[in-house]
Amino acid sequence: MQDIADACGLSRNTVSKVFNGRGSVPESTKSLVINKARELGYYQYSIDGVVGKKQNGNIALLTQHKLLSHSFGAYFLSSFTDQISRLGYTMQMYEVSPEDLLNRKLPALLDLEHVVGIVGIELFDREYIEMVCSLGKPTVFVDSYPHVVEELIQCDFVSMENVTSEASLVGHMISGGAKHFGFVGDIEHCNSFYERWIGFCEALNAAGLPLNRDVCILAEDGDLYGDVDWLVEQLDALPYMPDAFVCANDFLAIRIMTALKRKGLSIPSDVMVTGFGGLPESTVVEPSLTTAKIPSSEIGRFTATLITKRVQQPDFPYHWTYVKTTPIWGNSTR
């Protein structure tokens, strides 16, 4: 909508009114917006049949969490839906409830007969993923349950690269003088967390440094990680304070930094911290966070292209694809 608004010299709100049929918009403006949408190749919105390109089918996007609640999901969703519509498909998003997971059922409103392909994101339940893969529909999962790459799942798989970037972050801190490391995050939460743990362990092993789980915070993923008071308690319970904390994502890193400051520790002179993800908050937190940037938008576009290719070529060999991440050096490390 913003692209069309810019091309027409209008506000996004005006374009939104045209697409949603809300509010009063002059017919001349409505025609301008619709014609510009057609000219630019946007076929996601069919208004009174004016933007009438024949659709190739509907893609069902399954997720356990609201994707707009975090940066990776929001950027992924925006580019995914844009690319899907450019390729001539429509998309509907379905939130998988805890009851759906427990009973291994699709969301009630999802009609498989009207779906040509399925994409799953933020779904980390092994048995549920196996159920979806058994439906016989072209399927792509973005990230998955821990150790998924050790099995032969019957679908395409897309992930951000985790091991090499995490090892690079740890190596950077080793070069800055760190000898004792702790890891923060549930390594059995999802495959990306587990692979970041693997990168962490490999970097320590390559440097001949010990891995001490006693100075790691590896509790099951949940709301407690957002509670700074709980994190302070976890830090107080450690046998000693490590030189550096490697966190499974930026959210955890920012919370750990807050907990460390509350204990009167300085970052990075007392303790270094790294995250993973490249959230916008990582650049404005004090000190700025050393992290690995995930190309969320590019993963969204790639996933859209991959699922439509799978729809068109269902017998093509499965793709397991890792999209490169990039270390970003902030001031939370020396």
Side-chain angles (χ1 to χ4, degrees):
M1 284 192 288
Q2 188 63 59
D3 289 345
I4 294 167
D6 292 342
C8 293
L10 300 170
S11 70
R12 179 173 177 147
N13 184 52
T14 299
V15 174
S16 177
K17 287 180 179 179
V18 173
F19 286 146
N20 295 317
R22 299 172 183 168
S24 177
V25 179
E27 286 300 320
S28 58
T29 301
K30 191 179 296 185
S31 296
L32 173 65
V33 169
I34 293 173
N35 289 333
K36 184 58 69 173
R38 180 167 51 194
E39 177 186 325
L40 293 176
Y42 286 93
Y43 301 103
Q44 182 174 358
Y45 307 98
S46 181
I47 307 168
D48 300 328
V50 177
V51 185
K53 182 179 178 180
K54 183 175 183 281
Q55 296 292 341
N56 293 322
N58 184 51
I59 303 297
L61 182 69
L62 302 181
T63 180
Q64 194 178 348
H65 305 288
K66 291 181 172 63
L67 294 184
L68 295 178
S69 65
H70 55 89
S71 292
F72 174 75
Y75 287 122
F76 171 93
L77 184 60
S78 176
S79 61
F80 177 82
T81 54
D82 176 68
Q83 184 70 358
I84 279 290
S85 64
R86 289 175 183 271
L87 294 169
Y89 292 80
T90 57
M91 186 277 289
Q92 287 181 294
M93 184 163 60
Y94 301 88
E95 189 168 354
V96 178
S97 70
E99 292 76 20
D100 294 332
L101 279 179
L102 182 63
N103 297 314
R104 313 294 178 228
K105 292 183 177 180
L106 294 172
L109 296 177
L110 199 165
D111 183 356
L112 272 182
E113 290 187 8
H114 296 93
V115 167
V116 298
I118 298 173
V119 171
I121 179 173
E122 293 289 321
L123 284 171
F124 306 134
D125 185 282
R126 183 178 184 274
E127 293 182 10
Y128 194 84
I129 288 174
E130 289 177 345
M131 181 276 291
V132 174
C133 290
S134 72
L135 296 174
K137 293 285 184 178
T139 301
V140 178
F141 274 99
V142 180
D143 204 352
S144 191
Y145 56 86
H147 315 282
V148 65
V149 294
E150 299 170 13
E151 302 178 13
L152 296 175
I153 56 173
Q154 301 302 304
C155 66
D156 293 306
F157 172 71
V158 179
S159 176
M160 68 293 295
E161 193 287 318
N162 298 291
V163 176
T164 303
S165 282
E166 191 68 90
S168 178
L169 296 179
V170 175
H172 178 73
M173 290 190 287
I174 292 172
S175 68
K179 291 182 171 57
H180 302 284
F181 286 80
F183 190 93
V184 180
D186 178 5
I187 62 177
E188 296 295 329
H189 172 57
C190 60
N191 192 64
S192 58
F193 277 24
Y194 175 72
E195 290 184 340
R196 291 165 200 172
W197 166 259
I198 293 300
F200 166 74
C201 294
E202 287 185 355
L204 294 184
N205 184 61
L209 295 177
L211 168 62
N212 186 356
R213 283 177 175 256
D214 290 340
V215 291
C216 297
I217 302 174
L218 305 174
E220 183 177 349
D221 189 74
D223 294 338
L224 282 175
Y225 280 103
D227 184 343
V228 175
D229 290 333
W230 179 81
L231 286 173
V232 170
E233 292 175 1
Q234 302 306 301
L235 294 175
D236 288 339
L238 299 180
Y240 61 88
M241 188 62 62
D243 303 320
F245 280 111
V246 176
C247 301
N249 63 18
D250 288 352
F251 172 85
L252 296 172
I254 292 170
R255 296 307 182 277
I256 277 290
M257 288 170 66
T258 302
L260 290 169
K261 291 175 185 177
R262 189 171 294 183
K263 286 177 60 63
L265 294 169
S266 176
I267 305 165
S269 57
D270 294 324
V271 184
M272 291 188 273
V273 178
T274 62
F276 207 104
L279 293 181
E281 296 94 315
S282 67
T283 62
V284 296
V285 69
E286 180 57 41
S288 58
L289 182 63
T290 290
T291 184
K293 183 173 179 57
I294 298 173
S296 309
S297 296
E298 288 77 4
I299 292 175
R301 281 190 288 271
F302 179 82
T303 303
T305 302
L306 182 57
I307 186 61
T308 55
K309 181 175 181 179
R310 174 61 56 198
V311 170
Q312 295 161 11
Q313 298 178 277
D315 296 327
F316 200 76
Y318 290 124
H319 288 69
W320 287 13
T321 305
Y322 281 88
V323 181
K324 184 178 184 293
T325 54
T326 305
I328 303 294
W329 311 115
N331 295 323
S332 64
T333 55
R334 297 192 295 273

